[in-house]
Amino acid sequence: MSAPTDEQPWQWPESTWRPIVEHVRAGRSLTPQAWPDDASVAVAISFDSDHETPALRDSAVTPGVLSGGQYGARVALPRIRKLLARQRVPASFFVPAVSALLYPEQIDAAVEDGHEIGVHGWIHERNTLLERADERDLTLRSLDTLEKLSGRRPVGIRTPSWDFSPNTLDIIRELGFLYDSSLMADDDPYELVAAGEPTGIVELPVEWIRDDAPYFGMARFAGIRPYTAPSAVLEIWKREFDGARADRGVFQLTMHPSIIGHRSRLWILDELLTYIRESGDVWFATHEQLATYVAGKDNS
Ligand SMILES: [Zn+2]
């Protein structure tokens, strides 16, 4: 479903704009009546292990830029694994296939620690710039690569940059994914609907509010600078968690090793996880465990 190029949006008839909007929609809520162990809230922590891939994707292939990606794998990831082990929190790692091929040991380590590996594109490509056949091919190659490296075929996908294209839903249905985690039509899980038809695909929604990149992003030659103090981000994320707990819903968080893993920032994740744990009745789950649980419930 793509916009016609010969008309301006204000010239479109309803028969044009309505199918565009209805192509991929949020269907029924998948928030269950109860969480495992009678928990009040489910917590799903994730890391997008992009490392060098966004720079490669943009052909920013200078050693200077690439070194920041290497920091993510070389310094931040071991630091994060240690923190998760100490906090006894399972996480989901969404890994571009090129990142997995550059650092196969990161896949081994995550699997060994009991974390989930999910698909995050081939080289952090922008799906909306691709032909359907190319997006399908890259998604399939990513699945095969991660399966080979991790010993298990991933069941979840997070589109790179959350750039979910008009073709993505068809492709992930065909390839048999259980869930996607790239869209934003709710705070809590829902079923994806394609042109009015329920698909059975679980959406575990994300939000820029619950992502470290918008607060801490930095690009030397673009107008992107960190603009929020780590303590302020901690405050925002605590309030997102408090709200999720009050709603008996899901608190989902997206981070990037090369962004959150710095000495002046990682403490906020540590403090947040302590805050969450001390709230009492929490179910920590990988995205796969969460999607499996909510998919098994009939909430209609
Ligand atoms: Zn990413």
PDB file of all heavy atoms in Angstrom, residues 125-140:
ATOM      1  N   GLU A 125      18.860  -1.747   7.574  1.00  0.00           N
ATOM      2  CA  GLU A 125      18.291  -1.111   6.385  1.00  0.00           C
ATOM      3  C   GLU A 125      16.980  -0.379   6.690  1.00  0.00           C
ATOM      4  O   GLU A 125      16.310  -0.684   7.663  1.00  0.00           O
ATOM      5  CB  GLU A 125      18.039  -2.164   5.282  1.00  0.00           C
ATOM      6  CG  GLU A 125      17.067  -3.275   5.651  1.00  0.00           C
ATOM      7  CD  GLU A 125      17.740  -4.436   6.387  1.00  0.00           C
ATOM      8  OE1 GLU A 125      18.895  -4.284   6.823  1.00  0.00           O
ATOM      9  OE2 GLU A 125      17.083  -5.476   6.540  1.00  0.00           O
ATOM     10  N   ARG A 126      16.667   0.562   5.828  1.00  0.00           N
ATOM     11  CA  ARG A 126      15.389   1.282   5.948  1.00  0.00           C
ATOM     12  C   ARG A 126      14.371   0.602   5.052  1.00  0.00           C
ATOM     13  O   ARG A 126      14.406   0.759   3.824  1.00  0.00           O
ATOM     14  CB  ARG A 126      15.585   2.743   5.541  1.00  0.00           C
ATOM     15  CG  ARG A 126      16.446   3.465   6.544  1.00  0.00           C
ATOM     16  CD  ARG A 126      16.596   4.931   6.232  1.00  0.00           C
ATOM     17  NE  ARG A 126      17.376   5.542   7.309  1.00  0.00           N
ATOM     18  CZ  ARG A 126      18.021   6.689   7.189  1.00  0.00           C
ATOM     19  NH1 ARG A 126      17.986   7.362   6.064  1.00  0.00           N
ATOM     20  NH2 ARG A 126      18.699   7.176   8.198  1.00  0.00           N
ATOM     21  N   ASN A 127      13.458  -0.114   5.680  1.00  0.00           N
ATOM     22  CA  ASN A 127      12.522  -0.922   4.899  1.00  0.00           C
ATOM     23  C   ASN A 127      11.683  -0.108   3.933  1.00  0.00           C
ATOM     24  O   ASN A 127      11.353  -0.572   2.851  1.00  0.00           O
ATOM     25  CB  ASN A 127      11.587  -1.704   5.846  1.00  0.00           C
ATOM     26  CG  ASN A 127      12.307  -2.856   6.520  1.00  0.00           C
ATOM     27  OD1 ASN A 127      13.278  -3.390   5.985  1.00  0.00           O
ATOM     28  ND2 ASN A 127      11.844  -3.235   7.688  1.00  0.00           N
ATOM     29  N   THR A 128      11.327   1.113   4.338  1.00  0.00           N
ATOM     30  CA  THR A 128      10.431   1.875   3.460  1.00  0.00           C
ATOM     31  C   THR A 128      11.132   2.365   2.196  1.00  0.00           C
ATOM     32  O   THR A 128      10.481   2.864   1.287  1.00  0.00           O
ATOM     33  CB  THR A 128       9.811   3.075   4.210  1.00  0.00           C
ATOM     34  OG1 THR A 128      10.861   3.823   4.831  1.00  0.00           O
ATOM     35  CG2 THR A 128       8.842   2.613   5.269  1.00  0.00           C
ATOM     36  N   LEU A 129      12.457   2.202   2.138  1.00  0.00           N
ATOM     37  CA  LEU A 129      13.177   2.562   0.909  1.00  0.00           C
ATOM     38  C   LEU A 129      13.387   1.341   0.007  1.00  0.00           C
ATOM     39  O   LEU A 129      13.942   1.468  -1.084  1.00  0.00           O
ATOM     40  CB  LEU A 129      14.550   3.164   1.249  1.00  0.00           C
ATOM     41  CG  LEU A 129      14.535   4.448   2.087  1.00  0.00           C
ATOM     42  CD1 LEU A 129      15.965   4.931   2.326  1.00  0.00           C
ATOM     43  CD2 LEU A 129      13.709   5.536   1.388  1.00  0.00           C
ATOM     44  N   LEU A 130      12.957   0.171   0.472  1.00  0.00           N
ATOM     45  CA  LEU A 130      13.246  -1.065  -0.266  1.00  0.00           C
ATOM     46  C   LEU A 130      12.044  -1.536  -1.074  1.00  0.00           C
ATOM     47  O   LEU A 130      10.896  -1.299  -0.700  1.00  0.00           O
ATOM     48  CB  LEU A 130      13.610  -2.183   0.722  1.00  0.00           C
ATOM     49  CG  LEU A 130      14.826  -1.972   1.621  1.00  0.00           C
ATOM     50  CD1 LEU A 130      14.975  -3.178   2.561  1.00  0.00           C
ATOM     51  CD2 LEU A 130      16.082  -1.800   0.783  1.00  0.00           C
ATOM     52  N   GLU A 131      12.365  -2.263  -2.153  1.00  0.00           N
ATOM     53  CA  GLU A 131      11.321  -3.011  -2.848  1.00  0.00           C
ATOM     54  C   GLU A 131      10.917  -4.171  -1.945  1.00  0.00           C
ATOM     55  O   GLU A 131      11.718  -4.671  -1.148  1.00  0.00           O
ATOM     56  CB  GLU A 131      11.859  -3.555  -4.178  1.00  0.00           C
ATOM     57  CG  GLU A 131      12.217  -2.480  -5.195  1.00  0.00           C
ATOM     58  CD  GLU A 131      10.997  -1.666  -5.629  1.00  0.00           C
ATOM     59  OE1 GLU A 131       9.880  -2.239  -5.681  1.00  0.00           O
ATOM     60  OE2 GLU A 131      11.169  -0.457  -5.901  1.00  0.00           O
ATOM     61  N   ARG A 132       9.695  -4.646  -2.132  1.00  0.00           N
ATOM     62  CA  ARG A 132       9.196  -5.738  -1.305  1.00  0.00           C
ATOM     63  C   ARG A 132      10.126  -6.960  -1.352  1.00  0.00           C
ATOM     64  O   ARG A 132      10.430  -7.568  -0.321  1.00  0.00           O
ATOM     65  CB  ARG A 132       7.797  -6.130  -1.804  1.00  0.00           C
ATOM     66  CG  ARG A 132       7.184  -7.275  -1.054  1.00  0.00           C
ATOM     67  CD  ARG A 132       6.024  -7.879  -1.852  1.00  0.00           C
ATOM     68  NE  ARG A 132       5.486  -9.031  -1.159  1.00  0.00           N
ATOM     69  CZ  ARG A 132       4.428  -8.987  -0.361  1.00  0.00           C
ATOM     70  NH1 ARG A 132       3.781  -7.864  -0.166  1.00  0.00           N
ATOM     71  NH2 ARG A 132       3.996 -10.077   0.236  1.00  0.00           N
ATOM     72  N   ALA A 133      10.586  -7.319  -2.566  1.00  0.00           N
ATOM     73  CA  ALA A 133      11.423  -8.520  -2.695  1.00  0.00           C
ATOM     74  C   ALA A 133      12.726  -8.367  -1.913  1.00  0.00           C
ATOM     75  O   ALA A 133      13.226  -9.328  -1.320  1.00  0.00           O
ATOM     76  CB  ALA A 133      11.721  -8.799  -4.166  1.00  0.00           C
ATOM     77  N   ASP A 134      13.272  -7.164  -1.889  1.00  0.00           N
ATOM     78  CA  ASP A 134      14.522  -6.941  -1.155  1.00  0.00           C
ATOM     79  C   ASP A 134      14.290  -7.015   0.354  1.00  0.00           C
ATOM     80  O   ASP A 134      15.088  -7.591   1.087  1.00  0.00           O
ATOM     81  CB  ASP A 134      15.116  -5.575  -1.523  1.00  0.00           C
ATOM     82  CG  ASP A 134      15.607  -5.552  -2.968  1.00  0.00           C
ATOM     83  OD1 ASP A 134      16.037  -6.615  -3.465  1.00  0.00           O
ATOM     84  OD2 ASP A 134      15.540  -4.482  -3.596  1.00  0.00           O
ATOM     85  N   GLU A 135      13.187  -6.413   0.819  1.00  0.00           N
ATOM     86  CA  GLU A 135      12.892  -6.481   2.254  1.00  0.00           C
ATOM     87  C   GLU A 135      12.678  -7.931   2.684  1.00  0.00           C
ATOM     88  O   GLU A 135      13.183  -8.373   3.719  1.00  0.00           O
ATOM     89  CB  GLU A 135      11.645  -5.641   2.588  1.00  0.00           C
ATOM     90  CG  GLU A 135      11.331  -5.669   4.091  1.00  0.00           C
ATOM     91  CD  GLU A 135      10.083  -4.875   4.480  1.00  0.00           C
ATOM     92  OE1 GLU A 135       9.575  -4.081   3.667  1.00  0.00           O
ATOM     93  OE2 GLU A 135       9.620  -5.069   5.628  1.00  0.00           O
ATOM     94  N   ARG A 136      11.961  -8.693   1.860  1.00  0.00           N
ATOM     95  CA  ARG A 136      11.719 -10.105   2.190  1.00  0.00           C
ATOM     96  C   ARG A 136      13.036 -10.878   2.231  1.00  0.00           C
ATOM     97  O   ARG A 136      13.294 -11.651   3.155  1.00  0.00           O
ATOM     98  CB  ARG A 136      10.773 -10.719   1.151  1.00  0.00           C
ATOM     99  CG  ARG A 136      10.417 -12.156   1.466  1.00  0.00           C
ATOM    100  CD  ARG A 136       9.650 -12.816   0.314  1.00  0.00           C
ATOM    101  NE  ARG A 136       9.357 -14.209   0.628  1.00  0.00           N
ATOM    102  CZ  ARG A 136      10.232 -15.197   0.545  1.00  0.00           C
ATOM    103  NH1 ARG A 136      11.487 -14.959   0.170  1.00  0.00           N
ATOM    104  NH2 ARG A 136       9.885 -16.438   0.857  1.00  0.00           N
ATOM    105  N   ASP A 137      13.863 -10.664   1.226  1.00  0.00           N
ATOM    106  CA  ASP A 137      15.141 -11.383   1.143  1.00  0.00           C
ATOM    107  C   ASP A 137      16.029 -11.064   2.346  1.00  0.00           C
ATOM    108  O   ASP A 137      16.612 -11.972   2.952  1.00  0.00           O
ATOM    109  CB  ASP A 137      15.849 -10.986  -0.164  1.00  0.00           C
ATOM    110  CG  ASP A 137      17.242 -11.591  -0.247  1.00  0.00           C
ATOM    111  OD1 ASP A 137      17.354 -12.819  -0.140  1.00  0.00           O
ATOM    112  OD2 ASP A 137      18.218 -10.817  -0.394  1.00  0.00           O
ATOM    113  N   LEU A 138      16.118  -9.797   2.724  1.00  0.00           N
ATOM    114  CA  LEU A 138      16.976  -9.409   3.847  1.00  0.00           C
ATOM    115  C   LEU A 138      16.426  -9.946   5.176  1.00  0.00           C
ATOM    116  O   LEU A 138      17.199 -10.364   6.050  1.00  0.00           O
ATOM    117  CB  LEU A 138      17.110  -7.882   3.911  1.00  0.00           C
ATOM    118  CG  LEU A 138      17.905  -7.270   2.748  1.00  0.00           C
ATOM    119  CD1 LEU A 138      17.731  -5.762   2.712  1.00  0.00           C
ATOM    120  CD2 LEU A 138      19.384  -7.630   2.853  1.00  0.00           C
ATOM    121  N   THR A 139      15.106  -9.953   5.314  1.00  0.00           N
ATOM    122  CA  THR A 139      14.503 -10.480   6.541  1.00  0.00           C
ATOM    123  C   THR A 139      14.761 -11.979   6.648  1.00  0.00           C
ATOM    124  O   THR A 139      15.124 -12.493   7.717  1.00  0.00           O
ATOM    125  CB  THR A 139      12.988 -10.185   6.560  1.00  0.00           C
ATOM    126  OG1 THR A 139      12.781  -8.791   6.364  1.00  0.00           O
ATOM    127  CG2 THR A 139      12.358 -10.596   7.889  1.00  0.00           C
ATOM    128  N   LEU A 140      14.601 -12.683   5.532  1.00  0.00           N
ATOM    129  CA  LEU A 140      14.836 -14.132   5.529  1.00  0.00           C
ATOM    130  C   LEU A 140      16.305 -14.455   5.806  1.00  0.00           C
ATOM    131  O   LEU A 140      16.622 -15.349   6.605  1.00  0.00           O
ATOM    132  CB  LEU A 140      14.402 -14.710   4.174  1.00  0.00           C
ATOM    133  CG  LEU A 140      14.509 -16.225   4.011  1.00  0.00           C
ATOM    134  CD1 LEU A 140      13.740 -16.964   5.108  1.00  0.00           C
ATOM    135  CD2 LEU A 140      13.995 -16.655   2.629  1.00  0.00           C
TER     136      LEU A 140
END
